[in-house]
Amino acid sequence: MGLHENSRMDALLNQLTRANALFLIPILGLGGSCQNGYHVTGLSSPSPFIQRFINSSWYHRYEEPPPPHTVTLIWSVIVSTYAVGGLFGALSIKCVTGLVGIKKGIICNSLVSIVAAAIMFSSKGAESIEMVVIARGLFGFSAGMGMGLHLMYLGEISPQKIRGKVTLTLATFTSFGKLLGRFFGLSEILGREELWNILLIVPTCFSVLQLLGLPFFPEAPRYLLIEKGDQEACKKALQSLWGRGDYKQEIDEMLAEQAAINVVRPKSTLEVLRDRNVRWRLITVVTISSCLLLSGMPAISIFSFDIFLEAGIPAEYIRYITLGLGGAEILAFMFCGFIIEHTGRRVLLWVGLGAMSATLVLITVTLTLKDYVSWFPYTTVGLINLFIIFQCGGPAGTISTLSHEIFIQSDRPAALVISGIIRWLLFCLLSMIFPFLVSALGSYCFVLFACMAMLGSLYTFFLLPETKGKSLLEISEAFKDLTVCRKSFKPDKSVQTKL
């Protein structure tokens, strides 16, 4: 009887210990990618109020109303400054992790978000457009660094068998942040002219939560073993997060990776760019994430109010429609989480991108013919929902897992910095030119997005090897076996001799 009681007690303790990871993942998500999602959509609802704020601040300063094109330009700067900040945040990842580690880096990043919130809150009373721009830049910096650190932490705390599901939570919390941005943007909540500055600082509450909660959790196990060489601390961290066990498979994988790093030291950003053996993996992540970004999803998220207004939807209904879009995103990500370990990464990527391309073509048709068919505006709403389902149920949910899986520890920080730089540059460009692109091309701008999505689908179908169920070193070998235009990506013999 005593043994039976002890066994039950051990099982209960194991369940309670395992729950640590279930607390850590939401804390990471709410303070990490959730904030990026919120800031992307949270600017859509108050956009008319902020543009009126630009008018009033300009008039208060110069005693004359600003020209319309000046308002458009300042609004574009406010939108795109977020991406500029994100670019610098992505650039800082390798430096921060090298100095203080991943966990402390996330804690420091939360402080940046809190400072940005204080500036944004004060901007309205000060009637300062510059303070809005500075706050948006700091929010972007926090998001750029936070997304990279969030992904690294998720990948490093997750056992191999569930790595896809755990890293997918980054995309799920991004989607949840978008939903929160739309929800708080409702006129019944904070979507009123007198509250727009408060609306934009809501996610800082999650930074405070992360700042208070994260110190009670362990450092990333992979970081402890590979960077610090402390195998016992690594094992204790895994047991603290996932329950009792020897975690031999995970530790053996880390030791093999550490052995590879002992032969090839951790690389700088420039060394990764020059390394022929990493180049194909880097090109793959950059190409797929760029095609995904340029397929129009950020533009639809930021300018959803203007897109639906252009489609002919009454303004009083638009905020509720965009709230439905956020719900569709979360459901699609949850579906992706259920199937990613069964279907694999490659299929979800090429099928999802191809379906997105076809949907964007249909959106172009319905927007073009909206004046001739009375029900086409509502068809546009349905197609945009379908586009989001295809995007979040496949490529958007898979790219974070793929980005972590295809780089070993010595290459990962620098590779994430490089891919992050390119993504944030493209996001900045898209945010800046989209209002002018719509003015010049109208609904035909979605044809350009469709072409980019199709390019990503073709690239994935023909060139991406499957990574499901493979160790990081096995994935590296799969990329070395690729041959493109009769050119192999195997290591040079000269390099092998040196090593």
Side-chain angles (χ1 to χ4, degrees), residues 433-446:
I433 70 171
F434 186 75
F436 301 100
L437 196 63
V438 170
S439 299
L441 298 177
S443 60
Y444 292 102
C445 66
F446 289 97

PDB file of all heavy atoms in Angstrom, residues 433-446:
ATOM      1  N   ILE A 433       4.863  51.609 -48.731  1.00  0.00           N
ATOM      2  CA  ILE A 433       4.370  51.832 -50.097  1.00  0.00           C
ATOM      3  C   ILE A 433       2.943  51.350 -50.319  1.00  0.00           C
ATOM      4  O   ILE A 433       2.338  51.700 -51.338  1.00  0.00           O
ATOM      5  CB  ILE A 433       5.292  51.153 -51.134  1.00  0.00           C
ATOM      6  CG1 ILE A 433       5.185  49.629 -51.060  1.00  0.00           C
ATOM      7  CG2 ILE A 433       6.723  51.629 -50.982  1.00  0.00           C
ATOM      8  CD1 ILE A 433       5.892  48.906 -52.187  1.00  0.00           C
ATOM      9  N   PHE A 434       2.372  50.548 -49.380  1.00  0.00           N
ATOM     10  CA  PHE A 434       1.054  49.982 -49.660  1.00  0.00           C
ATOM     11  C   PHE A 434      -0.021  51.046 -49.913  1.00  0.00           C
ATOM     12  O   PHE A 434      -0.808  50.905 -50.858  1.00  0.00           O
ATOM     13  CB  PHE A 434       0.618  49.041 -48.532  1.00  0.00           C
ATOM     14  CG  PHE A 434      -0.671  48.318 -48.838  1.00  0.00           C
ATOM     15  CD1 PHE A 434      -0.695  47.257 -49.736  1.00  0.00           C
ATOM     16  CD2 PHE A 434      -1.868  48.710 -48.258  1.00  0.00           C
ATOM     17  CE1 PHE A 434      -1.884  46.595 -50.040  1.00  0.00           C
ATOM     18  CE2 PHE A 434      -3.050  48.058 -48.537  1.00  0.00           C
ATOM     19  CZ  PHE A 434      -3.058  46.996 -49.427  1.00  0.00           C
ATOM     20  N   PRO A 435      -0.097  52.138 -49.097  1.00  0.00           N
ATOM     21  CA  PRO A 435      -1.120  53.151 -49.403  1.00  0.00           C
ATOM     22  C   PRO A 435      -0.959  53.744 -50.800  1.00  0.00           C
ATOM     23  O   PRO A 435      -1.943  54.003 -51.499  1.00  0.00           O
ATOM     24  CB  PRO A 435      -0.904  54.211 -48.325  1.00  0.00           C
ATOM     25  CG  PRO A 435      -0.226  53.493 -47.212  1.00  0.00           C
ATOM     26  CD  PRO A 435       0.641  52.465 -47.870  1.00  0.00           C
ATOM     27  N   PHE A 436       0.292  53.953 -51.220  1.00  0.00           N
ATOM     28  CA  PHE A 436       0.527  54.518 -52.549  1.00  0.00           C
ATOM     29  C   PHE A 436       0.295  53.452 -53.632  1.00  0.00           C
ATOM     30  O   PHE A 436      -0.144  53.768 -54.740  1.00  0.00           O
ATOM     31  CB  PHE A 436       1.965  55.057 -52.628  1.00  0.00           C
ATOM     32  CG  PHE A 436       2.267  56.106 -51.608  1.00  0.00           C
ATOM     33  CD1 PHE A 436       2.952  55.782 -50.437  1.00  0.00           C
ATOM     34  CD2 PHE A 436       1.858  57.424 -51.772  1.00  0.00           C
ATOM     35  CE1 PHE A 436       3.224  56.741 -49.480  1.00  0.00           C
ATOM     36  CE2 PHE A 436       2.125  58.397 -50.824  1.00  0.00           C
ATOM     37  CZ  PHE A 436       2.814  58.056 -49.676  1.00  0.00           C
ATOM     38  N   LEU A 437       0.597  52.185 -53.300  1.00  0.00           N
ATOM     39  CA  LEU A 437       0.371  51.085 -54.243  1.00  0.00           C
ATOM     40  C   LEU A 437      -1.116  50.928 -54.544  1.00  0.00           C
ATOM     41  O   LEU A 437      -1.511  50.723 -55.699  1.00  0.00           O
ATOM     42  CB  LEU A 437       0.930  49.786 -53.650  1.00  0.00           C
ATOM     43  CG  LEU A 437       1.143  48.599 -54.588  1.00  0.00           C
ATOM     44  CD1 LEU A 437       2.177  48.921 -55.646  1.00  0.00           C
ATOM     45  CD2 LEU A 437       1.560  47.372 -53.792  1.00  0.00           C
ATOM     46  N   VAL A 438      -1.938  51.043 -53.504  1.00  0.00           N
ATOM     47  CA  VAL A 438      -3.386  50.948 -53.703  1.00  0.00           C
ATOM     48  C   VAL A 438      -3.882  52.109 -54.548  1.00  0.00           C
ATOM     49  O   VAL A 438      -4.734  51.936 -55.437  1.00  0.00           O
ATOM     50  CB  VAL A 438      -4.109  50.915 -52.338  1.00  0.00           C
ATOM     51  CG1 VAL A 438      -5.610  51.052 -52.514  1.00  0.00           C
ATOM     52  CG2 VAL A 438      -3.795  49.620 -51.606  1.00  0.00           C
ATOM     53  N   SER A 439      -3.338  53.312 -54.311  1.00  0.00           N
ATOM     54  CA  SER A 439      -3.754  54.476 -55.101  1.00  0.00           C
ATOM     55  C   SER A 439      -3.398  54.311 -56.576  1.00  0.00           C
ATOM     56  O   SER A 439      -4.148  54.716 -57.457  1.00  0.00           O
ATOM     57  CB  SER A 439      -3.090  55.749 -54.549  1.00  0.00           C
ATOM     58  OG  SER A 439      -3.472  55.975 -53.213  1.00  0.00           O
ATOM     59  N   ALA A 440      -2.247  53.688 -56.837  1.00  0.00           N
ATOM     60  CA  ALA A 440      -1.780  53.546 -58.218  1.00  0.00           C
ATOM     61  C   ALA A 440      -2.419  52.365 -58.941  1.00  0.00           C
ATOM     62  O   ALA A 440      -2.805  52.481 -60.105  1.00  0.00           O
ATOM     63  CB  ALA A 440      -0.262  53.407 -58.233  1.00  0.00           C
ATOM     64  N   LEU A 441      -2.541  51.212 -58.258  1.00  0.00           N
ATOM     65  CA  LEU A 441      -2.994  49.989 -58.937  1.00  0.00           C
ATOM     66  C   LEU A 441      -4.398  49.555 -58.543  1.00  0.00           C
ATOM     67  O   LEU A 441      -4.989  48.706 -59.224  1.00  0.00           O
ATOM     68  CB  LEU A 441      -2.019  48.838 -58.625  1.00  0.00           C
ATOM     69  CG  LEU A 441      -0.572  49.017 -59.084  1.00  0.00           C
ATOM     70  CD1 LEU A 441       0.270  47.829 -58.647  1.00  0.00           C
ATOM     71  CD2 LEU A 441      -0.506  49.191 -60.598  1.00  0.00           C
ATOM     72  N   GLY A 442      -4.920  50.088 -57.457  1.00  0.00           N
ATOM     73  CA  GLY A 442      -6.231  49.644 -57.001  1.00  0.00           C
ATOM     74  C   GLY A 442      -6.200  48.172 -56.612  1.00  0.00           C
ATOM     75  O   GLY A 442      -5.239  47.678 -56.008  1.00  0.00           O
ATOM     76  N   SER A 443      -7.219  47.442 -56.985  1.00  0.00           N
ATOM     77  CA  SER A 443      -7.324  46.028 -56.605  1.00  0.00           C
ATOM     78  C   SER A 443      -6.271  45.156 -57.281  1.00  0.00           C
ATOM     79  O   SER A 443      -5.999  44.042 -56.819  1.00  0.00           O
ATOM     80  CB  SER A 443      -8.714  45.501 -56.953  1.00  0.00           C
ATOM     81  OG  SER A 443      -8.963  45.624 -58.345  1.00  0.00           O
ATOM     82  N   TYR A 444      -5.648  45.653 -58.345  1.00  0.00           N
ATOM     83  CA  TYR A 444      -4.666  44.833 -59.063  1.00  0.00           C
ATOM     84  C   TYR A 444      -3.371  44.646 -58.276  1.00  0.00           C
ATOM     85  O   TYR A 444      -2.519  43.837 -58.676  1.00  0.00           O
ATOM     86  CB  TYR A 444      -4.354  45.455 -60.426  1.00  0.00           C
ATOM     87  CG  TYR A 444      -5.522  45.389 -61.368  1.00  0.00           C
ATOM     88  CD1 TYR A 444      -6.315  46.510 -61.605  1.00  0.00           C
ATOM     89  CD2 TYR A 444      -5.871  44.194 -61.996  1.00  0.00           C
ATOM     90  CE1 TYR A 444      -7.411  46.445 -62.457  1.00  0.00           C
ATOM     91  CE2 TYR A 444      -6.961  44.117 -62.852  1.00  0.00           C
ATOM     92  CZ  TYR A 444      -7.733  45.246 -63.074  1.00  0.00           C
ATOM     93  OH  TYR A 444      -8.826  45.174 -63.899  1.00  0.00           O
ATOM     94  N   CYS A 445      -3.207  45.371 -57.153  1.00  0.00           N
ATOM     95  CA  CYS A 445      -2.013  45.143 -56.321  1.00  0.00           C
ATOM     96  C   CYS A 445      -2.011  43.725 -55.756  1.00  0.00           C
ATOM     97  O   CYS A 445      -0.947  43.157 -55.473  1.00  0.00           O
ATOM     98  CB  CYS A 445      -1.939  46.173 -55.205  1.00  0.00           C
ATOM     99  SG  CYS A 445      -3.268  46.053 -53.981  1.00  0.00           S
ATOM    100  N   PHE A 446      -3.212  43.103 -55.635  1.00  0.00           N
ATOM    101  CA  PHE A 446      -3.279  41.747 -55.107  1.00  0.00           C
ATOM    102  C   PHE A 446      -2.736  40.719 -56.103  1.00  0.00           C
ATOM    103  O   PHE A 446      -2.393  39.608 -55.709  1.00  0.00           O
ATOM    104  CB  PHE A 446      -4.714  41.407 -54.707  1.00  0.00           C
ATOM    105  CG  PHE A 446      -5.176  42.136 -53.482  1.00  0.00           C
ATOM    106  CD1 PHE A 446      -5.925  43.298 -53.586  1.00  0.00           C
ATOM    107  CD2 PHE A 446      -4.840  41.681 -52.224  1.00  0.00           C
ATOM    108  CE1 PHE A 446      -6.341  43.979 -52.453  1.00  0.00           C
ATOM    109  CE2 PHE A 446      -5.253  42.350 -51.078  1.00  0.00           C
ATOM    110  CZ  PHE A 446      -6.005  43.513 -51.198  1.00  0.00           C
TER     111      PHE A 446
END
